[in-house]
Amino acid sequence: MTPRLTAAFWVQAYLRRLQQEGIPAFLTAKGDETAGSVMVKLSTLDGRAELYQRVLDGDGERRWSVLSAGVDADVDAAVSRQRHFDPDLWVIEVEDRAGRHLLDTSGLDV
């Protein structure tokens, strides 16, 4: 079994990777340092957004999946609901008109 990175370590690596690509991103909610879940909100700056969450697929592999998509305010409401149920949740907001989030990039799938 592959050792898991702490949530804080993964978040910092992800933010640095986005910064290297010139993609603005902001930590909007800090969760548990070691085991908090992470959600990524992608805003395309046109009033629309998508919310990504890590899930286990049918093969037991972890992958990113869209939890919510649509009007920015609706996605924000989905984030609020999730934060209500999970106060240890990390939330990162990525802003990119081209819709880049880099979640499918090698090295970020750990």
Side-chain angles (χ1 to χ4, degrees):
M1 182 172 178
T2 304
R4 291 192 55 191
L5 300 175
T6 66
F9 186 88
W10 187 91
V11 166
Q12 290 306 313
Y14 180 57
L15 291 171
R16 180 157 299 152
R17 186 76 173 266
L18 290 164
Q19 181 183 31
Q20 289 173 340
E21 295 295 323
I23 301 171
F26 310 92
L27 182 62
T28 59
K30 184 177 178 181
D32 182 85
E33 293 282 326
T34 56
S37 295
V38 179
M39 288 189 154
V40 175
K41 176 187 171 193
L42 171 63
S43 174
T44 51
L45 304 172
D46 61 356
R48 306 219 24 104
E50 295 178 338
L51 182 62
Y52 292 87
Q53 179 180 31
R54 293 292 295 264
V55 297
L56 288 177
D57 65 16
D59 296 326
E61 297 292 322
R62 295 181 329 151
R63 63 176 179 81
W64 289 97
S65 179
V66 176
L67 177 67
S68 179
V71 178
D72 202 30
D74 293 343
V75 174
D76 284 339
V79 170
S80 293
R81 284 191 301 275
Q82 292 298 318
R83 291 273 306 147
H84 176 73
F85 293 118
D86 184 1
D88 292 331
L89 182 67
W90 294 76
V91 181
I92 300 167
E93 184 163 345
V94 177
E95 296 179 344
D96 188 66
R97 290 187 192 282
R100 297 175 299 162
H101 50 63
L102 305 182
L103 293 172
D104 51 359
T105 303
S106 177
L108 291 174
D109 51 1
V110 177

